Amino acid sequence: MENRQLFLQIHPDDNVLVALQDLPPGMEVRFGGREFRLLSGVKAKHKFTIDPLNAGDDVRMYGVLVGKTNVALPSGETITTQNIHHAASPFELGERRLNWHRPDISAFEGRTFMGYHRSNGTVGTANYWLVIPLVFCENRNILVMKQALEEQLGYGKRTRDYEPEVGQLIQLYRSGTAVEEILNADITAGADLESTQRLFEHVDGVKFLNHEMGCGGTRIDSDALCGLLAGYITHPNVAGATVLSLGCQHAQASILREEIAKRDPQFDRPLYIFEQQLLGTETNLIQQALKHTFVGLMQANQQRRQPAPLSKLCIGLECGGSDGFSGISANPALGYVSDMLVTAGGSVILSEFPELCGVEQELSDRCADEPTALRFMELMKTYNAKAEADGSGFYANPSPGNIRDGLITDAIKSAGAAKKGGTSPVMAVVDYPGIANSPGLNLLCTPGNDVESTTAEVGAGANVVLFTTGLGTPTGNPIAPVIKLSTNTKLFERMPDIIDINCGTIIEGTETIQQAAHRILDYVIKVASGEEQPKAVQLGQDDFIPWRRGVSL
């Protein structure tokens, strides 16, 4: 009997196997009529050869080229960064391959979520007010407004308070306690702070978004910043916004208004823009901004959740801190969720273009028409060429943590990351910072950086983000709920404060990909309705980093 439960061949064309648990050196492997022994121990998530390979031979996973050997490798040899290197197949315009199997979504027939309906037809999963700077010069004033508004309105700290611990450490220091004793001291845990009663019950929060852009860089970057901020201001989860401008910066208020009009020509939500160089004193600026923001919140508080079909969901797909199980548990589960939502008429965004390296042919063939396929291919080639010109192509994408946990080439990482996109046709390819909420699967050009990509997906219209991780990534977004899914059970048990859903059940064989996908979509509906708060929201993880594409001047 073959010992398949210990390892996995992901695709019939693969010439390596994935260890599902730590395998000892010398273990006898029986697979596909072959018998061989492992030459060394193979850690869970890592891969080993099936047949002997010569130097320069292809290494294949997920049915695609993911590397080439540096030296001859016998059967049962662990692949490492020393004995193989990144390689990916070239791609060209091919035939359209648009046939796909629509999953059975009868279990979700007639399901709705309770959302905030906007006049442009979009539906929010939350109701926030934004306070944002057009340029980094206004960051301090944003923080002044935050200090003035947040706790007074009932949006103060709702997460873990560590001040009591610091107080005890101060007492130990003042009493002359030695360093080792301080390190070993059992300091009393601080209490979670109780939320102050919200003044505006139907406004989920006021979000203050600081950034380091708007001037001093290229016009490409400042224009892109205006586009990104316009995406947030017109986002279905946003009721209105207050914008602080200095006045002389590259990112002008007029450009912001143009970008808003591109995204929503009939934009009718409250928007207040204040220019400090016109208003004069800081006091005048802040008082005007506070008064208008308060009035805007009064209007926002009139919004109520109402039933909406699942077709109004736009889900961003993200992975960060990936491991060797990402591509066989959480990511395929998201792929099934993606196909389910597309079947229901919803929208899905797949981004992180450096992590699509090696699967370009499959994705371009899945594009709905040739212009869309050519657009995707052009963006991939241009992006990689720019990265190489800067001294680091897509091949350098895997992080030390990725490599340590089995993702040793960018193509291996990419082939697993692409599984989040399911099998449906690609309906649109969008460059940053555009809108990518067309019904069906959208490809959005972003970096692989978790926060930059998540920031971009939300700016492109995602009203929920599904974020898979194998190593643990504490991040979120100011206006869209970010749901974290672990690829393995050990992570879920080790970091329960940041992980919402465990997909390690797929690795353990206690749940199928389809069953996990149904569980995930059910949770998404509860989050979208405001019935559940994912951990990133509970912890106030409001990460916001715009993508700087040009050089700084």
Side-chain angles (χ1 to χ4, degrees):
M1 179 177 177
E2 296 184 343
N3 41 10
R4 290 177 182 269
Q5 69 277 11
L6 301 177
F7 49 78
L8 173 70
Q9 184 186 41
I10 298 173
H11 188 279
D13 293 339
D14 293 356
N15 56 5
V16 294
L17 302 174
V18 182
L20 299 181
Q21 54 185 276
D22 291 346
L23 305 179
M27 188 189 88
E28 185 177 2
V29 175
R30 303 184 185 92
F31 178 80
R34 308 168 183 81
E35 292 188 13
F36 55 89
R37 293 185 179 277
L38 297 181
L39 300 184
S40 59
V42 183
K43 291 184 178 180
K45 310 176 186 179
H46 287 261
K47 294 83 183 169
F48 57 93
T49 57
I50 302 173
D51 295 318
L53 299 175
N54 296 316
D57 279 356
D58 292 350
V59 178
R60 302 186 69 83
M61 280 186 65
Y62 301 94
V64 299
L65 175 67
V66 297
K68 286 185 177 289
T69 56
N70 297 328
V71 295
L73 300 178
S75 298
E77 181 65 87
T78 305
I79 63 170
T80 67
T81 53
Q82 285 73 46
N83 58 31
I84 78 165
H85 62 273
H86 166 81
S89 298
F91 53 95
E92 59 185 13
L93 185 64
E95 296 181 0
R96 304 298 93 221
R97 301 181 184 276
L98 306 180
N99 292 327
W100 65 293
H101 176 69
R102 292 178 179 269
D104 178 10
I105 60 169
S106 57
F108 293 88
E109 189 75 31
R111 288 286 296 274
T112 61
F113 70 97
M114 298 296 289
Y116 293 95
H117 293 246
R118 308 302 181 186
S119 62
N120 62 359
T122 60
V123 179
T125 61
N127 194 37
Y128 288 107
W129 187 273
L130 283 181
V131 181
I132 54 180
L134 263 181
V135 62
F136 57 83
C137 305
E138 291 298 323
N139 281 348
R140 176 188 171 278
N141 288 330
I142 297 295
L143 293 177
V144 169
M145 290 189 65
K146 177 182 173 74
Q147 184 179 16
L149 285 169
E150 209 166 40
E151 291 196 29
Q152 289 286 333
L153 298 180
Y155 302 115
K157 288 192 293 184
R158 292 176 292 160
T159 55
R160 180 79 157 78
D161 175 25
Y162 291 93
E163 290 184 7
E165 282 96 329
V166 175
Q168 291 202 44
L169 291 172
I170 291 171
Q171 290 178 1
L172 290 172
Y173 168 73
R174 286 175 171 167
S175 66
T177 306
V179 169
E180 287 301 319
E181 292 181 59
I182 289 177
L183 292 175
N184 293 320
D186 182 16
I187 55 179
T188 304
D192 291 342
L193 291 184
E194 295 183 3
S195 298
T196 306
Q197 181 65 40
R198 287 185 193 172
L199 179 63
F200 300 113
E201 181 183 356
H202 301 286
V203 179
D204 292 301
V206 183
K207 296 298 182 177
F208 304 83
L209 309 186
N210 279 350
H211 57 81
E212 304 301 322
M213 295 177 64
C215 203
T218 66
R219 295 300 178 94
I220 293 174
D221 279 340
S222 60
D223 287 350
L225 174 67
C226 288
L228 177 70
L229 296 180
Y232 274 70
I233 291 169
T234 60
H235 194 279
N237 290 5
V238 172
T242 302
V243 179
L244 300 189
S245 168
L246 180 59
C248 59
Q249 72 276 353
H250 287 336
Q252 286 287 298
S254 59
I255 301 174
L256 176 65
R257 291 187 186 277
E258 289 172 3
E259 292 294 335
I260 289 173
K262 289 179 185 177
R263 289 157 175 77
D264 188 353
Q266 306 301 320
F267 181 74
D268 59 358
R269 293 174 231 174
L271 173 63
Y272 308 118
I273 302 177
F274 300 97
E275 189 169 303
Q276 185 169 10
Q277 289 172 343
L278 286 179
L279 290 172
T281 65
E282 175 190 301
T283 299
N284 193 24
L285 170 74
I286 299 299
Q287 287 183 348
Q288 289 293 326
L290 287 174
K291 286 189 289 187
H292 284 79
T293 298
F294 195 88
V295 170
L297 286 165
M298 292 169 61
Q299 297 177 55
N301 197 48
Q302 297 173 15
Q303 299 285 330
R304 298 291 185 275
R305 290 185 182 270
Q306 298 175 24
L310 299 188
S311 60
K312 293 299 183 179
L313 286 175
C314 179
I315 292 182
L317 307 170
E318 189 67 33
C319 54
S322 301
D323 70 350
F325 285 165
S326 293
I328 55 180
S329 62
N331 288 353
L334 287 203
Y336 201 95
V337 171
S338 301
D339 286 347
M340 292 173 71
L341 190 60
V342 170
T343 300
S347 309
V348 178
I349 303 175
L350 179 64
S351 59
E352 300 177 290
F353 272 29
E355 296 177 11
L356 301 179
C357 175
V359 293
E360 296 97 336
Q361 191 66 59
E362 176 201 342
L363 287 172
S364 62
D365 289 349
R366 283 170 54 189
C367 288
D369 51 44
E370 289 190 358
T372 304
L374 290 170
R375 178 64 168 154
F376 171 62
M377 294 163 61
E378 175 195 12
L379 286 172
M380 287 294 290
K381 290 177 180 176
T382 302
Y383 192 167
N384 188 46
K386 176 64 165 62
E388 289 185 339
D390 290 343
S392 183
F394 287 171
Y395 62 85
N397 178 267
S399 69
N402 296 150
I403 294 169
R404 185 183 64 241
D405 272 50
L407 302 179
I408 62 174
T409 73
D410 184 58
I412 291 177
K413 184 178 182 181
S414 297
K419 293 299 178 183
K420 301 192 300 293
T423 61
S424 70
V426 176
M427 303 309 296
V429 174
V430 178
D431 196 8
Y432 174 86
I435 293 295
N437 60 358
S438 299
L441 176 60
N442 299 257
L443 301 184
L444 175 67
C445 183
T446 76
N449 178 295
D450 308 337
V451 179
E452 288 178 336
S453 180
T454 300
T455 299
E457 286 187 340
V458 175
N463 51 16
V464 176
V465 176
L466 293 175
F467 190 120
T468 69
T469 181
L471 305 177
T473 304
T475 190
N477 183 267
I479 65 169
V482 176
I483 299 170
K484 294 285 180 49
L485 306 97
S486 67
T487 70
N488 61 88
T489 300
K490 286 183 178 179
L491 172 62
F492 180 72
E493 294 174 344
R494 187 171 67 252
M495 303 182 78
D497 59 329
I498 70 166
I499 303 297
D500 300 291
I501 294 175
N502 178 29
C503 292
T505 51
I506 297 170
I507 300 295
E508 295 154 4
T510 59
E511 190 175 37
T512 66
I513 287 173
Q514 178 179 346
Q515 289 170 335
H518 278 242
R519 181 163 55 94
I520 293 166
L521 184 54
D522 187 64
Y523 185 74
V524 167
I525 294 171
K526 292 177 181 177
V527 168
S529 299
E531 298 172 12
E532 295 275 359
Q533 268 199 345
K535 304 294 175 57
V537 175
Q538 295 177 32
L539 292 172
Q541 292 170 336
D542 292 342
D543 302 306
F544 178 82
I545 303 180
W547 183 18
R548 190 188 297 272
R549 299 184 75 167
V551 296
S552 183
L553 297 178

